[in-house]
C-alpha cells in the first residue's frame, strides 16, 4: 500500500468519547520509548507527524490518523513508563483498555516491542489483553538495526517464547533507519482494507 494522504482527524483524552468511525482501524501499541512515533513517521513518510522524543511518555492521547481516506491508524499512549505519576499511568491504562473494549472499527493491533530486550511484564499483559479481546495481533520488533543481522533470529525466538505465541502470529523485525519491515507492515494494513471491502 502506498500512503498518499494522511491527516490527524481526532485526538481524544481520558473521558472523551470514541469517534464513531466507519473506516476500519488498526492500532499501534507499545511501551514508552519503544519507537512507536518513529515507526508512524516512517510509515507515513512524514518526519514530524507523530512527536518523537528521547523522553518516554510523549503520547498522552489516542490519536486517529486518516490514511488515504480508507483506514485509521490509531496511535495509543505508551505504557509502562516508571517516571509518570501513578494516577496518570492508571488514567492512560484505562484509556487504552476502554478503546480496545469499545471500538467497533478496530480490526488489528500492532504490538511494538524492542527487539533487543525480552518483552516486559507490561508487554505480556498487553499481548494477553489483545488476544483475549479477539483482535489480530501483529508483533513489531523495533530497532532491528541495533542488532547484527545474524543475531535477529535468536531475539525473535526469545520474543515468541516470552509471549507464548507460535508461528501463526506474525512477527516483523522493523527499523525506522533502514526501513526493514516497512513493506510488510503496509501490506498488512492494505489487507485489513481489502478484508473490509470483501
Amino acid at each position: 500500500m502506498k500512503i498518499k494522504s494522511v491527516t490527524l482527524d481526532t485526538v481524544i483524552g481520558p473521558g472523551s468519547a470514541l469517534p464513531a468511525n466507519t473506516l476500519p482501524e488498526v492500532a499501534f501499541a507499545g511501551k514508552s520509548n519503544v519507537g512507536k512515533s518513529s515507526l508512524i513517521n516512517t510509515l507515513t513518510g512524514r518526519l514530524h507527524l507523530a512527536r518523537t522524543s528521547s523522553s518516554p511518555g510523549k503520547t498522552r492521547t489516542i490519536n486517529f490518523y486518516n490514511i488515504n481516506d480508507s483506514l485509521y491508524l490509531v496511535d495509543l499512549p505508551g505504557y509502562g513508563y516508571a517516571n509518570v505519576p501513578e494516577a496518570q499511568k492508571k488514567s492512560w491504562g484505562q484509556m487504552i483498555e476502554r478503546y480496545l473494549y469499545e471500538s467497533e472499527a478496530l480490526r488489528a493491533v500492532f504490538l511494538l516491542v524492542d527487539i533487543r530486550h525480552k518483552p516486559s511484564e507490561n508487554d505480556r499483559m498487553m499481548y494477553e489483553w489483545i488476544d483475549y479481546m479477539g483482535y489480530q495481533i501483529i508483533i513489531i520488533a523495533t530497532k532491528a538495526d541495533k542488532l547484527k543481522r545474524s543475531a535477529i533470529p535468536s531475539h525473535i525466538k526469545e520474543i515468541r517464547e516470552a509471549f507464548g505465541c507460535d508461528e501463526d502470529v506474525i512477527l516483523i523485525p522493523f527499523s525506522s533507519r533502514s526501513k526493514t519491515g516497512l513493506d510488510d507492515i503496509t501490506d498488512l494494513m492494505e489487507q485489513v482494507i481489502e478484508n473490509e471491502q470483501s
Side-chain angles (χ1 to χ4, degrees), residues 9-10 20 43 72 77 86 90 143 197:
D9 270 14
T10 313
L43 201 59
Y72 276 102
E86 204 57 45
K90 188 177 178 185
K143 308 187 183 185
Q197 293 169 345

Side-chain angles (χ1 to χ4, degrees), residues 9 21-27 64-67 70-74:
D9 270 14
N21 290 331
T22 54
L23 297 176
E25 297 170 359
V26 294
F64 292 77
Y65 296 98
N66 182 321
I67 307 292
S70 56
L71 176 90
Y72 276 102
L73 186 164
V74 183

